[in-house]
């Protein structure tokens, strides 16, 4: 029988006090983007992130999000970042290109910089699907950003 007395498990921490969070939002589908942003900011504040520690920048579309995320990550000013936007399927292959490339680039930013990025770029069939997800996804991204920032801090400071 195995003994686990010496195993350390990192706790889930959602206390956002003292964290600095950057948000990059696409303006391409404005109603969806604003819905995501409202839910995200509301949840960040509920978790204790101060207004003065939240920075928001908007960009034209989903493909522009990664460059701003990378710039913010490299600034050493943020504990976590959040990408918000929506790519809605149209009649051409463009949906796949934008969805795949934007999401891949968001992932690369966090892996290349070590700054966690919560990906809230919705990829949906239509506006109704996206609008139905704005509240949940915006809130989820806030919690993910805070949890990952706290986890990374704990791993750097806690038991090895």
């Amino acid at each position: 029988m195995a003994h686990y007395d010496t195993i350390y498990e990192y706790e889930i921490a959602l206390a956002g006090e003292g964290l600095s969070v950057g948000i990059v939002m696409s303006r391409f589908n404005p109603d969806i983007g604003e819905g995501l942003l409202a839910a995200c900011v509301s949840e960040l504040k509920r978790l204790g992130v101060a207004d003065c520690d939240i920075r928001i920048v908007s960009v034209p579309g989903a493909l522009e999000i990664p460059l701003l995320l990378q710039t913010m990550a490299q600034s050493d000013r943020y504990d976590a970042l959040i990408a918000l936007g929506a790519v809605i399927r149209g009649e051409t292959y463009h949906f796949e290109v934008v969805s795949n490339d934007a999401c891949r680039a968001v992932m690369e930013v966090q892996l290349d910089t070590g700054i966690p990025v919560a990906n809230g770029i919705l990829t949906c069939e239509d506006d109704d699907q996206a609008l139905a997800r704005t509240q949940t996804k915006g809130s989820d991204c806030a919690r993910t950003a805070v949890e990952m920032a706290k986890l990374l801090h704990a791993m750097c400071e806690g038991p090895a």
Side-chain angles (χ1 to χ4, degrees), residues 26-61:
S26 165
R27 294 186 307 267
F28 192 75
N29 292 295
D31 292 343
I32 298 161
E34 290 296 332
L36 288 163
L37 181 63
C40 183
V41 169
S42 176
E43 184 68 3
L44 285 172
K45 291 165 91 170
R46 192 188 72 73
L47 295 172
V49 179
D51 287 355
C52 63
D53 290 328
I54 300 171
R55 294 287 182 263
I56 302 165
V57 62
S58 67
V59 296

Side-chain angles (χ1 to χ4, degrees), residues 58-154:
S58 67
V59 296
L63 289 176
E64 290 75 35
I65 291 173
L67 178 59
L68 267 292
L69 289 172
Q70 179 179 293
T71 301
M72 293 170 92
Q74 292 171 343
S75 75
D76 291 326
R77 293 172 152 173
Y78 301 96
D79 298 293
L81 300 169
I82 300 170
L84 299 175
V87 183
I88 308 298
R89 185 178 300 279
E91 296 178 11
T92 69
Y93 182 69
H94 187 66
F95 170 84
E96 283 83 4
V97 171
V98 174
S99 298
N100 292 337
D101 286 350
C103 291
R104 177 197 45 79
V106 166
M107 181 62 71
E108 285 178 9
V109 168
Q110 71 177 344
L111 294 175
D112 290 348
T113 66
I115 302 296
V117 180
N119 188 346
I121 302 174
L122 298 173
T123 53
C124 298
E125 294 294 322
D126 54 46
D127 287 352
D128 291 339
Q129 280 185 357
L131 288 168
R133 289 164 175 75
T134 58
Q135 192 69 30
T136 301
K137 191 62 170 179
S139 297
D140 286 348
C141 285
R143 286 189 298 277
T144 297
V146 169
E147 180 179 343
M148 290 301 293
K150 298 295 274 192
L151 180 58
L152 287 176
H153 287 166

